[in-house]
Amino acid sequence: MASSAATQQPHRSGRISMPRTSRISGFRDLSVEARRAAVAETADIAPESLAVLDPDQGLRVDLADRLVENVVGVMGLPVGIATNFVVNGRELLVPMATEEASVVAAASNAARIARVHGGFFTSTTAPVMQAQVQIVDVTDPEAARLRLLEHRDELVALADSQDPLLRELGGGVRDLTVRVVPSRAGTYVVAHLHVDVRDAMGANAVNTMAEAVADRAGEIAGGRTLLRILTNKADLRLARARAVFAADALGGAAVVDDIVHGAALAEADPYRAATHNKGIMNGISAVVLATGNDTRAVEAGAHSHAISPSGHYTSLSRFEKNADGDLVGTLELPMAVGLVGGATKAHPVAKAALSVLGVASAAELAEVVTAVGLAQNLAAVRALATEGIQRGHMSLHARNVATTAGATPEELPAVVARLVADKAVRVDHAERVLSELRANS
Ligand code: NAD
């Protein structure tokens, strides 16, 4: 990702703007309109391009009707902007679509702490997805594996001929590997096509290829082909993020030690790991969704990756103390996201989200998503290792609860303050507070 933060940049309109920063002070206190203006200014995009964030200008029913089946409407979700992100030296505002209070605030907060040591540093492998072709009823699976490998070039060429555009773009089939998989119902020969899908998520692209080679692969193996589809265990398409969180900014050396303890429990204990990883996915799924990508594909990839060398379910991230006593967080996981294909180009809000991010490739998007996952994770583990998750969470959640109870925007601050003060962030209590308030006004 090219660095553009520190230099003065020509503005879209031609004038020289101030150096851009994702550290927009007072952002949360602005009106929605003013926030949009600040986002457009920082992302250097036309303010009008964010008008689609209004529900009545976003995904129309007639477009939705072309995206999926049996459409009767569309469902809105809040889109928030995480501030403070610096990824590989580049200042970034990150759109996040989520229904959960405190996620956007927590990511922004962790990104602010990471800024002290330069933000997030990221990398990716090549965007290689794999498709599987299952072959059943093979009498000599080991020999079949080698026969398939002897025909590697033929099968690769056959698969590659399916997507000339992808090849033109520098992608295409990179390899064929074959595994023998024993199961309770028989031993299967499973051929894998490795495909560089460039800026696509790649599912349709590789599925087409798997179907194209299936018959010939079955013939060579001497069996019957059955399943032909990508694997969401996209372990050849990894994204990584690393950040140093200064001990002082976290609350001191003891906090660093306790975060390491919290993270170590997640490494060792699947019960804690599930929740630790859920925290990571709070950030990841929100950006994946906002950009029109397939949240289930990314989630499946993440969970398939959360296996320790000894075979137990574990945490996706690691936290260590470095030689200076600061906390270092790292996250590495499969990240099958695209800038083309699926809803990325069709959904107006996804297009707007991608323009706010200003990423030039699927790899850059994958890196940003992973950085947000790490930020989200740090925020949660830090809260758990200090004051507990509820204080910050509940004060934000209180807005939700007060709204559910029927509070108007004018009534909201008073109701929220009471719910937090009473330590009773519940709808029944909010309703009581509201009737009291109305009776007294
Ligand atoms: P797609 O087929 O819509 O787009 C990919 C195609 O776009 C490529 O094959 C290529 O021909 C073309 N293309 C144009 N510009 C490109 C560029 N710069 N880089 C790469 N390709 C470019 O979409 P896809 O990414 O192959 O598939 C994604 C969709 O598949 C998502 O909607 C996903 O939900 C769905 N899906 C997922 C699964 C799964 O995850 N298990 C299974 C089936 C379908």
Side-chain angles (χ1 to χ4, degrees):
M1 190 182 281
S3 167
S4 62
T7 49
Q8 284 222 327
Q9 310 223 346
H11 190 262
R12 185 177 39 79
S13 60
R15 71 185 162 82
I16 298 292
S17 67
M18 294 296 288
R20 278 187 259 151
T21 173
S22 59
R23 178 114 179 80
I24 309 176
S25 75
F27 187 71
R28 68 176 176 187
D29 301 321
L30 300 176
S31 67
V32 171
E33 280 307 318
R35 284 191 204 126
R36 275 190 208 158
V39 169
E41 172 71 23
T42 305
D44 206 13
I45 56 175
E48 316 81 68
S49 64
L50 298 183
V52 293
L53 292 167
D54 268 328
D56 54 352
Q57 294 190 51
L59 182 62
R60 294 187 323 268
V61 170
D62 60 329
L63 176 54
D65 198 27
R66 279 175 269 147
L67 286 180
V68 304
E69 311 73 39
N70 298 354
V71 164
V72 293
V74 295
M75 179 181 172
L77 272 181
V79 176
I81 294 285
T83 55
N84 300 328
F85 273 86
V86 178
V87 179
N88 295 338
R90 184 163 170 242
E91 301 273 343
L92 277 178
L93 293 175
V94 186
M96 302 177 77
T98 180
E99 86 300 341
E100 187 173 349
S102 86
V103 164
V104 180
S108 306
N109 201 12
R112 186 177 50 75
I113 297 173
R115 289 178 77 91
V116 176
H117 285 296
F120 296 84
F121 301 89
T122 60
S123 60
T124 44
T125 61
V128 173
M129 297 295 285
Q130 297 173 66
Q132 296 188 291
V133 177
Q134 177 194 21
I135 308 166
V136 303
D137 302 335
V138 179
T139 48
D140 54 352
E142 294 297 341
R145 184 175 80 85
L146 296 203
R147 284 198 297 278
L148 284 163
L149 290 173
E150 287 155 26
H151 288 79
R152 176 193 173 279
D153 292 352
E154 176 196 338
L155 291 166
V156 164
L158 182 56
D160 232 0
S161 66
Q162 305 304 309
D163 204 332
L165 175 57
L166 187 61
R167 272 173 49 204
E168 229 170 82
L169 293 164
V173 186
R174 297 289 186 251
D175 204 0
L176 172 91
T177 55
V178 187
R179 297 161 57 237
V180 173
V181 181
S183 84
R184 64 178 174 79
T187 295
Y188 306 123
V189 176
V190 182
H192 284 222
L193 286 169
H194 301 200
V195 186
D196 183 324
V197 296
R198 298 282 88 195
D199 289 324
M201 179 268 177
N204 289 326
V206 303
N207 290 348
T208 306
M209 292 176 180
E211 294 199 350
V213 301
D215 287 351
R216 181 68 183 127
E219 206 174 276
I220 296 165
R224 181 170 61 91
T225 48
L226 198 54
L227 308 188
R228 295 143 289 162
I229 190 166
L230 92 159
T231 168
N232 287 108
K233 181 173 167 57
D235 55 4
L236 297 179
R237 193 181 192 179
L238 299 177
R240 317 172 188 101
R242 174 180 65 82
V244 176
F245 302 95
D248 286 350
L250 287 169
V255 174
V256 172
D257 289 339
D258 284 349
I259 292 175
V260 170
H261 278 308
L265 178 61
E267 278 177 50
D269 175 16
Y271 286 91
R272 174 61 208 142
T275 316
H276 181 97
N277 291 340
K278 192 273 184 184
I280 294 173
M281 301 314 288
N282 274 344
I284 287 181
S285 296
V287 188
V288 171
L289 185 59
T291 56
N293 274 284
D294 185 336
T295 50
R296 290 82 55 212
V298 171
E299 283 155 10
H303 293 305
S304 73
H305 206 65
I307 302 295
S308 75
S310 62
H312 75 266
Y313 179 78
T314 186
S315 52
L316 287 161
S317 62
R318 293 290 179 267
F319 286 96
E320 305 163 312
K321 184 157 72 167
N322 71 10
D324 298 327
D326 294 326
L327 185 75
V328 191
T330 54
L331 176 62
E332 179 179 64
L333 76 171
M335 193 50 67
V337 289
L339 299 185
V340 298
T344 52
K345 284 263 193 281
H347 197 302
V349 175
K351 282 198 286 187
L354 284 169
S355 70
V356 168
L357 281 172
V359 286
S361 65
E364 276 189 31
L365 175 60
E367 292 180 14
V368 172
V369 171
T370 308
V372 176
L374 179 59
Q376 205 74 53
N377 189 207
L378 178 274
V381 183
R382 180 193 182 213
L384 287 166
T386 54
E387 63 189 15
I389 204 97
Q390 285 305 77
R391 202 171 75 104
H393 192 78
M394 285 323 247
S395 58
L396 293 168
H397 181 55
R399 289 162 55 87
N400 224 325
V401 169
T403 305
T404 307
T408 62
E410 296 72 39
E411 292 167 329
L412 211 55
V415 181
V416 166
R418 265 290 296 282
L419 297 185
V420 172
D422 296 351
K423 291 195 170 61
V425 186
R426 298 191 318 268
V427 176
D428 62 313
H429 189 53
E431 285 168 351
R432 237 185 333 270
V433 170
L434 253 181
S435 23
E436 273 173 40
L437 212 99
R438 286 172 185 169
N440 293 336
S441 64

